[in-house]
Every structure is written in structure tokens, then in C-alpha cells.
């Protein structure tokens, strides 16, 4: 759907000045299309919208059952869009500046237990009589899971790694993360060995990517990796619905904190621009401690027994 010629320069600015990823650009385009479609139904063009018309769009999003997090993200996009128009002289005001974004409901990240991660890695061994393709998938799974869990990478960061990232015996990987920010993350010996074993396959020896796709000239896609992870989850006896690359990233962070890692160090490893983003993992630890107290503290146990007797 057409949303007006002002949108493309805005999206180009995001890509050029803020190094926004293709996924971010796509999401922002969808947000602007949503707003534009609602306004068009009221006979209003996106570029000329007033505050009350944008507020009505927000209300419609909530009535449509969209989550507070989604609405907040869409409002953020709209605010940036009109700020861009203001700076470019297209408008003399920002009608979205007075919109109140709903506060997203806090949700704790999902993560696996340490034993479940071990089970996943152990499931990356091809079955007896496996085909060549199945053996290759097992190699991809082993190397990817080792690096995702041992280094806390985002899946986009992992799949965009060039083959030369493992050149030499360097103990660190240089990662280009969100907003083009670079960071160094450690690579485990087992992760390096798994990736090198992957590249010993004849079909992938000339690929420029650390994780090649079926066509070695192209990187493995997110969708292809999701299928591999689904298969490994079933073999490990873990519900695939609980698995995703981000769950492995959450597991990396949660397990590091559980073993005494410093929050600032964790922020650097995860590539978070703001320490507040990293602090969600302290809530995970708090929840775990609370459960330990409820389960094992003598007073908590007695309170629970009294309540059962009273019932």
C-alpha cells in the first residue's frame, strides 16, 4: 500500500544515519502503512494528520487486540516519522509528540536449564545411517548452538559472520551488532572446533560464509536454521515451542549471572546499548531466589502447611 512519498526518505535516513537493519526498516514501513490506512479511511493523509487523529489510531490498535508492546513500538515509529518531517521542513509541528505510549508489560525472558542445553548439544550427533544432508545439518546445529550459547550472539549476528571470522587462533570474534555497534565476544574451543569441522565438508569449502546455506554462495537463512533447531529439540526431548535462538541468548545471560558474572560485563557481551536492558536478567535471578526461599525456608514451609490444614 502507498503511504506517501515522504516515507521513503524517512526509511532511507534510518538505514543511512542509524544503520537500521532490513528487519527494522520492514517493521517501520508496516507501522506507517497501518497508520496511513486508518487515516485514509477517515479521509486524512498521513503527512497532514493531527494529534487527535493519531490518538484515534492508537485507540483502534488497542481495540484490535494488539499488545501494549506492539502499540508502543508503532507509536515510537510515528513520533520519529513526524520529527523527521519537522526537521526537513515538511511540517511546522510534531503532532505525535503529545501521544502517550503505553508502558509494555514486563515479561521475564524464557531460558533453558543448563542440563537442557547439554541435551541439545548432545542431540547434534547424526543418527547411524544418516544421509549426507542429515550429517551436514547436524554439523550446522552443533556449531551454531555452541556459538549462540557460548557467546550470547543474536541469530542475525551469527548468520552474517564471514568465514574469515575464524581465521587464525584468535580467542575472540568481532561482532557487528545493532546500530552498527561493534563488540568482541569470546569463542569457546569447542565452538571453534565445531565450526571448523563444518567447513571441512567438501560442498562448503569455498563458501564465504561461516554458516553457508544450501547454496554455498549464500548464508544460511533464519528460516532454515529454525527448522534445524526444531529437529534437534525433538531429538533432545525438548518441546520445540520452547526453543528459539533468542532463548539460547537468554540462557547464556541467565547462566552467566547465576555463576557470578558482573552485570556490566554481561552488558558488553550482549551488546546492549543501555544497562537497563541487561537488568531484566537480575529479575530472573530474583524470581529464582524467591522460589528457593518458598520451597526450602522453614518458615515458608510451615506457612504453607498451616494454610493447607486451614483449608
Amino acid at each position: 500500500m502507498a503511504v506517501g512519498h515522504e516515507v521513503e526518505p524517512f526509511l532511507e535516513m534510518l538505514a543511512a544515519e542509524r544503520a537500521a537493519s532490513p528487519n527494522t526498516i520492514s517493521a517501520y514501513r508496516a507501522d506507517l502503512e497501518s497508520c496511513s490506512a486508518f487515516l485514509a479511511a477517515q479521509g486524512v493523509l498521513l503527512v497532514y494528520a493531527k494529534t487527535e487523529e493519531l490518538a484515534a489510531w492508537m485507540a483502534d490498535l488497542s481495540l484490535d487486540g494488539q499488545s501494549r508492546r506492539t502499540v508502543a513500538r508503532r507509536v515510537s515509529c510515528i513520533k520519529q516519522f513526524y520529527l523527521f518531517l519537522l526537521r526537513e521542513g515538511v511540517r511546522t509541528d510534531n503532532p505525535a509528540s503529545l501521544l502517550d505510549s503505553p508502558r509494555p508489560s514486563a515479561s521475564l525472558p524464557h531460558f533453558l536449564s543448563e542440563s537442557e542445553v547439554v541435551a541439545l548439544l548432545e542431540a547434534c550427533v547424526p543418527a547411524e545411517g544418516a544421509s549426507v544432508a542429515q550429517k551436514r545439518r547436524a554439523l550446522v546445529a552443533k556449531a551454531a548452538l555452541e556459538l549462540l550459547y557460548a557467546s550470547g550472539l543474536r541469530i542475525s549476528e551469527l548468520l552474517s559472520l564471514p568465514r574469515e571470522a575464524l581465521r587464525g587462533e584468535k580467542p575472540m570474534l568481532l561482532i557487528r551488532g545493532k546500530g552498527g555497534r561493534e563488540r568482541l565476544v569470546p569463542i569457546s574451543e569447542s565452538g571453534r572446533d565445531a565450526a571448523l569441522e563444518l567447513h571441512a565438508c567438501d560442498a562448503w569449502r569455498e563458501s564465504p560464509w561461516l554458516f553457508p546455506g544450501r547454496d554455498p554462495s549464500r548464508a544460511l537463512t533464519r528460516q532454515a536454521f529454525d527448522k534445524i533447531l526444531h529437529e534437534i529439540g525433538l531429538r533432545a526431548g525438548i518441546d520445540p515451542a520452547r526453543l528459539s535462538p533468542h532463548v539460547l541468548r537468554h540462557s547464556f545471560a541467565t547462566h552467566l549471572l547465576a555463576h557470578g558474572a558482573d552485570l556490566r560485563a554481561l552488558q558488553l557481551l550482549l551488546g546492549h546499548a543501555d544497562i537497563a536492558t541487561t537488568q531484566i536478567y537480575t529479575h530472573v535471578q530474583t524470581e529464582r531466589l524467591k522460589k528457593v526461599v518458598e520451597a526450602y525456608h522453614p518458615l515458608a514451609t510451615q506457612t504453607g502447611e498451616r494454610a493447607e490444614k486451614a483449608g
Side-chain angles (χ1 to χ4, degrees):
M1 171 185 173
V3 289
H5 64 273
E6 301 85 5
V7 168
E8 289 307 321
F10 169 64
L11 297 177
E12 288 169 8
M13 178 276 293
L14 290 177
E17 297 181 15
R18 303 186 190 175
S21 69
N23 286 342
T24 298
I25 298 294
S26 177
Y28 274 41
R29 186 187 298 279
D31 294 341
L32 291 167
E33 286 177 352
S34 165
C35 187
S36 181
F38 175 83
L39 294 171
Q42 321 301 317
V44 179
L45 291 176
L46 181 66
V47 69
Y48 299 126
K50 298 175 182 176
T51 300
E52 56 268 25
E53 292 160 345
L54 294 174
W57 167 67
M58 273 183 65
D60 186 67
L61 291 177
S62 298
L63 289 172
D64 195 38
Q66 297 195 24
S67 70
R68 286 188 289 173
R69 187 176 297 277
T70 299
V71 175
R73 192 206 70 220
R74 292 194 159 189
V75 172
S76 173
C77 167
I78 290 296
K79 286 184 175 182
Q80 292 178 63
F81 173 66
Y82 285 109
L83 183 59
F84 171 77
L85 296 185
L86 177 62
R87 288 173 177 168
E88 292 295 304
V90 177
R91 290 193 61 134
T92 58
D93 65 337
N94 180 353
S97 63
L98 297 177
L99 296 179
D100 288 327
S101 297
R103 292 179 64 85
S105 52
S107 58
L108 295 179
H110 301 290
F111 59 93
L112 302 175
S113 67
E114 293 180 36
S115 61
E116 285 175 323
V117 174
V118 171
L120 272 182
L121 293 171
E122 290 177 345
C124 294
V125 178
E128 249 184 80
S131 66
V132 173
Q134 288 172 329
K135 288 178 181 176
R136 286 178 183 165
R137 282 202 300 276
L139 288 174
V140 170
K142 174 76 170 171
L145 291 176
E146 285 273 6
L147 292 178
L148 285 171
Y149 177 65
S151 303
L153 301 180
R154 300 178 179 94
I155 187 62
S156 58
E157 295 168 346
L158 180 82
L159 299 183
S160 63
L161 283 172
R163 183 191 185 102
E164 63 185 19
L166 282 184
R167 287 263 167 90
E169 296 297 321
K170 295 177 290 187
M172 309 287 277
L173 282 175
L174 178 63
I175 302 298
R176 185 179 292 274
K178 285 186 175 180
R181 292 185 296 273
E182 293 185 338
R183 70 186 190 278
L184 288 170
V185 299
I187 176 173
S188 65
E189 277 189 41
S190 57
R192 180 186 293 277
D193 291 344
L196 291 176
E197 187 180 356
L198 172 65
H199 281 277
C201 289
D202 291 339
W204 289 333
R205 279 183 180 168
E206 302 305 319
S207 175
W209 302 101
L210 191 57
F211 287 92
R214 186 174 297 175
D215 175 358
S217 67
R218 296 174 180 271
L220 185 72
T221 64
R222 167 68 186 268
Q223 291 75 17
F225 179 72
D226 284 344
K227 289 179 183 177
I228 293 172
L229 186 58
H230 184 278
E231 180 183 327
I232 295 299
L234 289 175
R235 292 179 60 182
I238 299 172
D239 183 358
R242 295 180 55 223
L243 288 176
S244 75
H246 223 61
V247 165
L248 289 166
R249 181 169 156 88
H250 290 323
S251 302
F252 161 83
T254 303
H255 297 167
L256 273 185
L257 274 184
H259 287 277
D262 173 74
L263 200 62
R264 282 288 178 188
L266 185 59
Q267 178 192 2
L268 292 173
L269 290 170
L270 291 171
H272 288 160
D274 189 342
I275 189 70
T277 309
T278 317
Q279 283 173 334
I280 188 169
Y281 295 106
T282 62
H283 298 311
V284 173
Q285 295 303 103
T286 301
E287 286 297 312
R288 291 178 68 183
L289 289 172
K290 199 168 138 194
K291 286 178 182 174
V292 167
V293 171
E294 288 173 352
Y296 300 110
H297 193 281
L299 291 181
T301 305
Q302 289 170 18
T303 302
E305 287 174 353
R306 283 199 296 269
E308 283 181 14
K309 287 177 183 176

